Amino acid sequence: MVLSDNIKNMFASFAPETQMAMDRYTSFRVGGPADLLVLPSTVDQVIALIKTAQKAALPVTIIGGGTNVLISDKGIRGLVVVLTRLKQKIEQTTPSTSTDGHASNSVHLTALAGERLGSLCRYAADAGLAGLAWAAGIPGTVGGAVMMNAGAFGSDMSRVVTEIEVLDLANLETRVLAADSLQFSYRKLVLENSIVLKVRLELTRTDTQTVKEEFYRNLKTKQSTQPVSQASAGCFFQNPPGDKPAGFLIEQAGMKSARCNGAMVSDLHANFIVNHGNACASDILNLACQVKKSVYEKFGINLKEEVKTIGD
């Protein structure tokens, strides 16, 4: 949309970018322009941005690390808020006692939503805190990991999140949600009309060397089995019910290494679509459609996307 000078002036104090290509803000390295883009660094700035957007009647799109999204070639209308600068020093606290009155061995780590999951995972490993080593090598932000219930090696965020702080978009007030009130499922958190601002995890103090060994073992496994050095959005499809993962089905359907212009099904892991440097969003979407069609024709299984497509 064409933004009026009046709307631009309303956001002037936030140092916005106009018509900024989104390719630099996604791991796929594709995406058309955002009408207005801001990278806030504090919770107060996020709240002020949303309030201003509501006054200006602008739609708002929230993006974390851009590692699980595909932005259309036509871009995103309205205001785009990228949360990668919303971070602070990771807080570590230790409950004095457990629920049964004995000394607690648990430790809470608190981080703002823009903190990199990889940074939090490495922090935990260095501090000898068990429970997050499964996240070694997973890109993106902590907030995005919660929203997608990121997981690997048999665990996921739902196992370690103890509470989150969110911004309620209906009244622009913050509220804290305990873990037992959160509706996690496979690669999803049901969170209506809210933005994750802060995350608290509960981990367990243990031997530092043991945690580090698990961390580096998981990291090495990811690096040897997934195209982590190439532009992608991680696993493109959810694993369907049953014991056959999406990557296996795609490979058996003959789609491993399949191409559509600059987009390619990874020859290392078939559930990854990679951008070889000149792909556009439509190439990736077309290739994904071919993959779904081939898997359905061979197995009768309709793969569901894990990557979220946003924009016009």
Side-chain angles (χ1 to χ4, degrees), residues 96-104:
S96 56
T97 58
S98 62
T99 54
D100 61 6
H102 294 89
S104 173

Side-chain angles (χ1 to χ4, degrees), residues 22-273:
M22 291 300 299
D23 55 352
R24 70 176 65 183
Y25 297 106
T26 73
S27 57
F28 251 139
R29 299 293 181 259
V30 301
D35 290 337
L36 202 65
L37 182 142
V38 181
L39 288 83
S41 57
T42 67
V43 168
D44 287 343
Q45 287 179 353
V46 174
I47 296 173
L49 270 170
I50 302 302
K51 186 179 295 184
T52 304
Q54 290 181 352
K55 287 181 180 179
L58 280 183
V60 179
T61 301
I62 306 295
I63 292 179
T67 57
N68 204 53
V69 297
L70 174 61
I71 296 176
S72 74
D73 297 317
K74 293 183 179 180
I76 306 174
R77 307 289 69 81
L79 171 67
V80 176
V81 180
V82 178
L83 296 180
T84 50
R85 293 181 185 173
L86 184 64
K87 59 180 70 174
Q88 64 183 15
K89 184 179 179 181
I90 297 170
E91 297 177 6
Q92 179 177 333
T93 56
T94 304
S96 56
T97 58
S98 62
T99 54
D100 61 6
H102 294 89
S104 173
N105 200 35
S106 66
V107 175
H108 289 165
L109 292 186
T110 304
L112 289 182
E115 187 67 56
R116 290 282 174 179
L117 180 60
S119 299
L120 191 62
C121 185
R122 191 175 291 273
Y123 177 98
D126 290 340
L129 303 178
L132 198 59
W134 56 265
I138 296 180
T141 59
V142 174
V146 170
M147 288 300 300
M148 291 301 299
N149 192 19
F153 300 105
S155 191
D156 57 33
M157 291 301 289
S158 71
R159 309 281 187 92
V160 293
V161 170
T162 183
E163 67 180 33
I164 61 174
E165 182 177 321
V166 303
L167 174 64
D168 189 324
L169 298 180
N171 53 29
L172 293 184
E173 293 181 355
T174 60
R175 55 195 176 108
V176 175
L177 304 177
D180 57 9
S181 70
L182 299 176
Q183 299 179 51
F184 281 108
S185 59
Y186 178 68
R187 300 298 176 262
K188 185 179 181 181
L189 168 64
V190 178
L191 188 64
E192 300 294 338
N193 208 32
S194 299
I195 301 171
V196 176
L197 299 174
K198 186 182 292 186
V199 178
R200 175 170 289 176
L201 310 181
E202 184 168 357
L203 305 178
T204 304
R205 192 178 302 281
T206 188
D207 175 65
T208 301
Q209 186 61 32
T210 300
V211 181
K212 282 188 172 182
E213 288 176 357
E214 182 183 4
F215 171 86
Y216 285 111
R217 183 169 61 250
N218 291 344
L219 186 62
K220 183 177 180 180
T221 297
K222 272 195 172 295
Q223 291 172 340
S224 63
T225 60
Q226 299 178 3
V228 295
S229 64
Q230 295 179 286
S232 79
C235 288
F236 200 93
F237 299 100
Q238 298 179 13
N239 288 325
D243 59 356
K244 294 184 174 65
F248 172 84
L249 298 173
I250 295 167
E251 183 171 355
Q252 291 300 305
M255 292 301 292
K256 197 172 189 179
S257 302
R259 291 175 177 264
C260 179
N261 297 323
M264 172 183 165
V265 176
S266 170
D267 54 7
L268 184 61
H269 192 309
N271 198 15
F272 282 68
I273 295 177

